[in-house]
Amino acid sequence: MDHTPESAYAHLRDTHPDWFVTPPGDGTISIMRWPMTEGQVIYRDPWWMLLQDPVVHPDGRHDRYLRMLAPQPEPGVAVLPLLDVNVVLIEHFRHATRAWHWEIPRGGGTAGLAGKDNAAKELREELGAAPRELIELGTLHPDTGLLAQSVGLYAARIDEVGTVERGEGIRRARTFTFTEAERMAGSGRITDSFTLAAIFRARQAGLAG
């Protein structure tokens, strides 16, 4: 069925009401409801939707906010590979920043795969590695100002590094001690939010050796 941007938004309200909930209590930014005004689905593909929500600020001002959601129910994952007591990072070229970044493997939600299965899939695809053990490190909201999705963080004990996924812009993998990785984070050589959070959570979980 073809939709206008407004009717597609109304359809989402009907089919996914949990995406439009306003928590109880003072100070929230609430979403206005039709017939007062309606939002729009600005863009949609199999991986992302960009919504424009009509909102009311706590002081009564009306506004419109952009918000990105992932259509699939399965959350994305990010995985910190651990080889012995060291951290494995990949050097990944990112289109959005037009720059190289030291990162951990990650990917969006995969239909039908639970979090740990998706984490193992991303390790195989990006690093050519199989996890001997997967350890949950909690969840992360990578950008609360724009992205609605949460991402599951994991650490993975691996026995070796395979072939990196060069077709996705990964040129190499390197092993660092935890201390080296933390120094890279502190000096700004690591700026990726998933990687920063995973290193911190792994240290807090006692995985740094």
Side-chain angles (χ1 to χ4, degrees), residues 15-95:
T15 56
H16 296 84
D18 53 310
W19 290 353
F20 301 89
V21 169
T22 298
D26 296 333
T28 59
I29 298 173
S30 60
I31 298 177
M32 298 173 67
R33 294 198 60 84
W34 184 90
M36 299 174 64
T37 187
E38 191 58 279
Q40 295 186 16
V41 178
I42 304 296
Y43 174 80
R44 179 169 186 165
D45 64 24
W47 301 277
W48 291 106
M49 287 188 300
L50 179 62
L51 306 186
Q52 186 191 70
D53 296 305
V55 301
V56 182
H57 288 269
D59 61 6
R61 286 179 298 116
H62 291 189
D63 205 348
R64 286 184 174 264
Y65 271 2
L66 293 177
R67 178 168 54 130
M68 291 188 70
L69 299 93
Q72 70 276 6
E74 294 83 2
V77 295
V79 195
L80 176 69
L82 302 175
L83 185 61
D84 296 323
V85 293
N86 296 319
V87 171
V88 180
L89 301 179
I90 56 177
E91 196 173 19
H92 201 157
F93 186 82
R94 289 297 182 179
H95 168 69

Side-chain angles (χ1 to χ4, degrees), residues 135-138 155 157 178 198-209:
I135 303 156
E136 295 184 18
L137 297 177
R157 300 191 190 278
F178 250 96
I199 291 171
F200 171 78
R201 294 269 184 93
R203 170 68 77 176
Q204 295 296 303
L207 301 179

